[in-house]
Amino acid sequence: MKLLSVSAKFALFLVLLCGIGYPVLMTGVAQVLFPIPANGSLIVKNGVPVASSLIGQNFTRKDEFHPRPSATPGPDGNGSVPYDAAFSSPSNLGPTTKSYLSGVKQAVDQYRSENHLSSGETVPDDAVTASGSGLDPDIGLDNAMYQVRRIAAERKIPKETLKRLVRETATPPQFGFLGPWRVNVVKLNLALDLLSATAIRPHGG
Amino acid sequence: MTYHSISQMIVFFLVAGLSAPLVGRYLAWIYEGKDTAVERGTYRYLGIDPDSEMTWKTYGQTLLASNALCFLIGFMVLWFQGSLPFNPRHLPSLSAPVAFNTAASFVTNTNWQAYAGEAQLSNLSQMISITFLMFVGAATGFSALMAILRGFVRSRGATVGNFWKDFFRFLYRAFLPACALMALILVEQGVPQTLKEIRTLHPVDGGTQTLVLGPVAALESVKNLGTNGGGFYNANAAHPFENPTPLANMIEMFGMLTFTFSLPFLFGRLLKRSRQALAFFAVIWILYAGGYGLMQYSEQSIAPAIASMGVGSPVSEAMTPGNMEGKETRFGITQTSLFSNTTIAATTGAVDAAMDSLNPIGIGVALFHMFLNEEPGGKGVGFAGFLKEAVLAIFLAGLMVGRTPEFLGKKIEPREVKLAMLSSLVTPVLVLGLTGLALLLPAGKAGIDNPGPHGFSEVLYGYASGNANNGSAMGGLAASSPFYAVSIGIEMLFGRYLPLLPLLALAGSLVRKPIHPRTAGTFETDGFLFVVLMLGFMVVVTALTFLPAMTLGPIVEHMFMRTGGAF
């Protein structure tokens, strides 16, 4: 009996210390030291939070950069609501599953025709595969450069200007060697809108 | 492999390898010396005497009783979530099977997730059920290891230490401070840490996007340092809020290995045999690094069926092409392969990519690590399992040369070998038995997502993960269905305590024996020969036990994938 009462005290004490004290204390310190990341790295435009710089969004218009395919389900865990940040999920499909292969084939065909790829050009692997979270904010540089063709035609902006925009927005490997080169689609599309706005009014209107 | 891949691998291996002896030395130190005022206060509140030593039986009973009470609290919180406060989204309670599965999962340091974090748990549940149990599970495993090590270190003793003292020394002097530090570094990199649960965004293209926030960094750091692995979000460490940058990815991997890689050195310090520590570490490291090599090789290749569609970018510094299904762009193939191998080897079970979408060899590597489960294995218990393998390998070597085997000066006799075997048998019985059962029952078959051998791997992986207290999953398996929630829930409890109790008994038996001095006839356990013996024993026994099952899953799937077959 003594063992049980000690164990009960032990469990309650740890709920207070590790379950409440520790996370609440860390919240206080983090909110003071790093308030922006601690609250979700929000991008605010005209006082309205429009995005998190870490979470991808489902851009589908022809004149925007498209993110990777996303397998996030609807709120009840079924169906498909791409880039639903309230339910992260990968596709969970394996490389010998027919439905997976046909899905990739469809994405490949769509990507080729949308971006006018020649038959000799390979489709970047990240453009036709769903990410692990379904919320990947980034795409590879090859993927972005292929999409420049479509967007240049849609927005009537020179390709070279758009390529420069991609390179300027791109994220290099951290410390020069950690992770690949990549570009954040949310930031890229916001920068693209800004570029279009200034292109229409070249001398500040 | 490109220069870019190799530089990331080398830096990580160096940091993890070189810090291990230092951390080991620190961990040996925390169990020495006087109690601090905070520790004395804690013992007074609990009403226990920290200096009363326990026999292995008392130690085991204390461990079980304390864990049982924690399990109960964790279960109640989830089962009554709907009626508890601080639930602004009015999320309902978890069903009894899923609440049971989750509490069992987190108290046993498994962190198998039959629920979807951000969609089903309130921040209160994430704190007082999940985060709380993460600390309990990890610190309990570590304490059990200390008791087992004392069996080898003490000569003609009767007791193996005091559970409460072992628990709080580790918690106060190593675990909590390390978690707090890591949480702050992760926040700086972008991991949220707030008590606000919901944030609605208004994207420029219209519509809304809902972010789920919470005390993520606090959970994320204990998840890795405790080799727990349960994520705040459904996608675990693939979610950008759990793992926002390549540096965060490296820090999380380092967190999984820092305590586990240091255990051979802790043991060497207690034994005062530093060469022995190096020999143990060599065995563990070779199996760990070999797994990484295979994982990287597997994931760099694109399935021929996909490549024939004209998919694949050139190898450039921009990106290493490979199997990007279920992987995140910011990690690429190299960071993902390092993480996947580390998380399974250290039985953390956190994932920064979808295990279900790995190529078959990658799945095979994960399964092999889980069958072995001790290179380095989970917090504490992994290394205890490693010592059990050493006892068995020495016994076999003794049989071959016809003398009474001795390990670290202690005679290995029938009782020790029986207890070690008893502990060893748990894995094949649970994993193979339950996989077979699931495949026979309609409820088991209904939970499979992918068809063909990949679907078989999903079931085998689920039970391997539950038994190994790993917690990673091939996510297609319907883990929340009552059949899998209950069967894996029971398996996790068995997989944790059934091998652990014989090992405590083994320690109780060894501690009574005298330590014989080394003579010319002693089989040296700190040299090259011993490393080869251990590697051979561990790999051959695992292969003999599990090769048939591996053949039905990843091996046959690999053949189909290479020839373009699909199901």
Side-chain angles (χ1 to χ4, degrees):
Chain A
M1 271 332 281
K2 170 140 194 314
L3 179 56
L4 275 188
S5 79
V6 175
S7 295
K9 279 194 211 167
F10 166 84
L12 286 175
F13 175 65
L14 287 179
V15 167
L16 289 176
L17 178 71
C18 302
I20 297 175
Y22 160 71
V24 169
L25 179 72
M26 294 321 293
T27 305
V29 178
Q31 290 287 339
V32 171
L33 291 183
F34 312 110
I36 293 170
N39 293 303
S41 309
L42 301 183
I43 300 176
V44 179
K45 231 177 140 180
N46 306 326
V48 181
V50 293
S52 162
S53 65
L54 295 172
I55 303 292
Q57 291 185 345
N58 195 26
F59 298 96
T60 52
R61 283 199 336 243
K62 274 188 156 178
D63 63 344
E64 293 172 316
F65 286 95
H66 296 170
R68 298 179 60 189
S70 162
T72 53
D76 61 345
N78 296 309
S80 169
V81 182
Y83 289 89
D84 174 7
F87 206 136
S88 59
S89 179
S91 74
N92 283 321
L93 293 172
T96 56
T97 299
K98 272 185 187 152
S99 61
Y100 166 65
L101 295 173
S102 61
V104 174
K105 180 84 179 88
Q106 206 182 343
V108 167
D109 292 342
Q110 193 186 342
Y111 190 85
R112 276 188 181 283
S113 72
E114 271 178 4
N115 301 304
H116 320 296
L117 263 64
S118 69
S119 57
E121 288 172 317
T122 53
V123 177
D125 43 17
D126 63 306
V128 293
T129 49
S131 62
S133 60
L135 304 172
D136 193 341
D138 300 311
I139 56 176
L141 291 193
D142 295 346
N143 184 352
M145 291 303 181
Y146 281 130
Q147 296 194 44
V148 159
R149 299 175 187 174
R150 183 189 75 235
I151 294 157
E154 291 286 330
R155 297 213 181 204
K156 312 218 168 14
I157 299 175
K159 276 186 210 161
E160 279 315 309
T161 312
L162 287 180
K163 285 190 175 171
R164 200 166 56 237
L165 182 75
V166 170
R167 276 193 291 270
E168 281 166 3
T169 318
T171 315
Q174 232 171 345
F175 309 113
F177 76 106
L178 291 181
W181 272 94
R182 58 202 187 274
V183 60
N184 183 304
V185 182
V186 177
K187 288 183 188 166
L188 185 59
N189 280 328
L190 288 174
L192 179 65
D193 285 345
L194 212 62
L195 182 82
S196 292
T198 49
I200 295 162
R201 290 169 287 138
H203 301 291
Chain B
M1 283 175 80
T2 59
Y3 160 77
H4 181 239
S5 300
I6 292 171
S7 57
Q8 298 186 71
M9 174 196 82
I10 290 180
V11 167
F12 181 65
F13 280 9
L14 281 180
V15 172
L18 293 179
S19 63
L22 300 176
V23 179
R25 184 181 285 209
Y26 177 74
L27 289 178
W29 173 80
I30 65 172
Y31 291 98
E32 293 162 7
K34 288 200 175 74
D35 294 326
T36 61
V38 179
E39 284 158 357
R40 282 198 302 274
T42 309
Y43 303 139
R44 234 188 345 265
Y45 156 76
L46 289 176
I48 51 126
D49 173 12
D51 296 320
S52 75
E53 285 273 329
M54 298 176 175
T55 63
W56 78 266
K57 277 184 192 156
T58 318
Y59 203 102
Q61 281 164 0
T62 313
L63 185 154
L64 284 180
S66 65
N67 277 214
L69 269 287
C70 294
F71 166 85
L72 204 63
I73 292 182
F75 172 76
M76 294 303 226
V77 168
L78 298 174
W79 203 31
F80 288 105
Q81 172 176 271
S83 326
L84 291 174
F86 304 107
N87 181 2
R89 287 183 285 162
H90 306 290
L91 295 167
S93 304
L94 296 190
S95 71
V98 174
F100 161 74
N101 179 290
T102 305
S105 167
F106 280 81
V107 80
T108 58
N109 199 233
T110 311
N111 293 223
W112 173 267
Q113 292 177 286
Y115 62 96
E118 71 269 48
Q120 284 178 275
L121 292 195
S122 69
N123 280 345
L124 186 75
S125 301
Q126 296 272 23
M127 289 160 66
I128 64 172
S129 183
I130 302 297
T131 307
F132 149 67
L133 285 179
M134 281 178 164
F135 276 102
V136 173
T140 298
F142 206 85
S143 307
L145 173 70
M146 283 310 292
I148 291 164
L149 293 186
R150 290 191 188 103
F152 290 93
V153 174
R154 290 182 177 172
S155 184
R156 294 183 194 281
T159 57
V160 292
N162 180 298
F163 174 77
W164 308 113
K165 187 169 175 168
D166 287 345
F167 189 99
F168 282 105
R169 284 263 170 133
F170 178 64
L171 183 71
Y172 287 161
R173 297 185 183 196
F175 202 15
L176 258 176
C179 287
L181 179 65
M182 185 168 155
L184 285 183
I185 300 174
L186 289 177
V187 175
E188 197 275 331
Q189 287 293 302
V191 180
Q193 178 68 30
T194 168
L195 297 178
K196 201 172 151 64
E197 199 162 307
I198 282 292
R199 190 86 211 208
T200 306
L201 305 178
H202 304 278
V204 284
D205 284 5
T208 56
Q209 188 182 32
T210 306
L211 298 182
V212 181
L213 302 168
V216 186
L219 186 149
E220 194 68 17
S221 58
V222 57
K223 156 185 146 183
N224 290 294
L225 283 162
T227 68
N228 292 291
F232 192 93
Y233 297 98
N234 188 43
N236 209 295
H239 196 293
F241 276 159
E242 284 200 25
N243 198 353
T245 61
L247 178 66
N249 198 53
M250 293 287 258
I251 290 169
E252 292 182 15
M253 290 190 286
F254 177 72
M256 298 179 210
L257 289 181
T258 183
F259 288 134
T260 45
F261 260 6
S262 68
L263 298 179
F265 298 100
L266 160 67
F267 191 33
R269 192 89 187 157
L270 297 177
L271 288 170
K272 299 188 177 63
R273 293 186 185 206
S274 52
R275 255 177 73 90
Q276 186 65 55
L278 276 178
F280 286 151
F281 185 69
V283 176
I284 289 169
W285 194 85
I286 288 169
L287 290 167
Y288 166 79
Y292 163 67
L294 275 174
M295 184 70 83
Q296 173 89 23
Y297 164 77
S298 164
E299 297 313 298
Q300 269 182 10
S301 57
I302 298 181
I306 305 270
S308 67
M309 298 173 195
V311 174
S313 37
V315 183
S316 63
E317 60 172 349
M319 200 125 174
T320 308
N323 171 17
M324 283 302 286
E325 181 66 38
K327 296 192 179 59
E328 297 281 303
T329 313
R330 63 191 176 283
F331 305 137
I333 299 294
T334 305
Q335 288 273 335
T336 308
S337 302
L338 271 171
F339 195 100
S340 301
N341 183 61
T342 303
T343 188
I344 310 292
T347 60
T348 309
V351 292
D352 75 350
M355 304 312 273
D356 216 339
S357 297
L358 292 183
N359 283 335
I361 294 184
I363 293 171
V365 170
L367 284 171
F368 202 84
H369 277 317
M370 288 191 287
F371 295 147
L372 271 173
N373 204 20
E374 44 224 7
E375 20 80 57
K379 178 70 70 250
V381 291
F383 188 62
F386 178 84
L387 292 175
K388 162 201 79 189
E389 302 276 356
V391 166
L392 292 173
I394 293 284
F395 170 68
L396 271 190
L399 283 184
M400 285 188 262
V401 295
R403 75 168 76 200
T404 311
E406 243 179 59
F407 182 46
L408 304 172
K410 300 244 179 186
K411 273 204 166 58
I412 304 296
E413 286 166 307
R415 182 176 158 81
E416 285 77 47
V417 176
K418 279 182 200 160
L419 287 168
M421 268 320 291
L422 192 64
S423 173
S424 284
L425 281 173
V426 174
T427 294
V429 168
L430 284 179
V431 176
L432 298 177
L434 285 169
T435 302
L437 187 71
L439 292 171
L440 283 175
L441 296 175
K445 279 190 281 195
I448 298 175
D449 185 29
N450 286 273
H454 199 85
F456 174 81
S457 296
E458 284 178 351
V459 178
L460 183 64
Y461 196 112
Y463 288 113
S465 176
N467 166 70
N469 294 149
N470 183 293
S472 69
M474 289 172 71
L477 189 75
S480 61
S481 72
F483 175 77
Y484 283 108
V486 172
S487 66
I488 294 179
I490 294 171
E491 185 200 20
M492 289 187 286
L493 293 171
F494 282 1
R496 170 75 159 190
Y497 301 107
L498 284 190
L500 193 57
L501 293 176
L503 291 182
L504 278 174
L506 175 70
S509 160
L510 283 175
V511 76
R512 297 179 181 282
K513 301 182 186 232
I515 294 178
H516 296 290
R518 290 179 183 196
T519 64
T522 308
F523 176 69
E524 294 298 344
T525 54
D526 54 7
F528 178 72
L529 189 63
F530 174 74
V531 172
V532 176
L533 174 75
M534 279 297 289
L535 283 172
F537 178 77
M538 289 168 77
V539 172
V540 169
V541 170
T542 308
L544 283 176
T545 317
F546 292 103
L547 212 52
M550 295 274 272
T551 310
L552 291 175
I555 295 177
V556 100
E557 193 194 2
H558 179 70
M559 307 291 182
F560 275 107
M561 189 188 83
R562 298 309 308 172
T563 53
F567 298 87

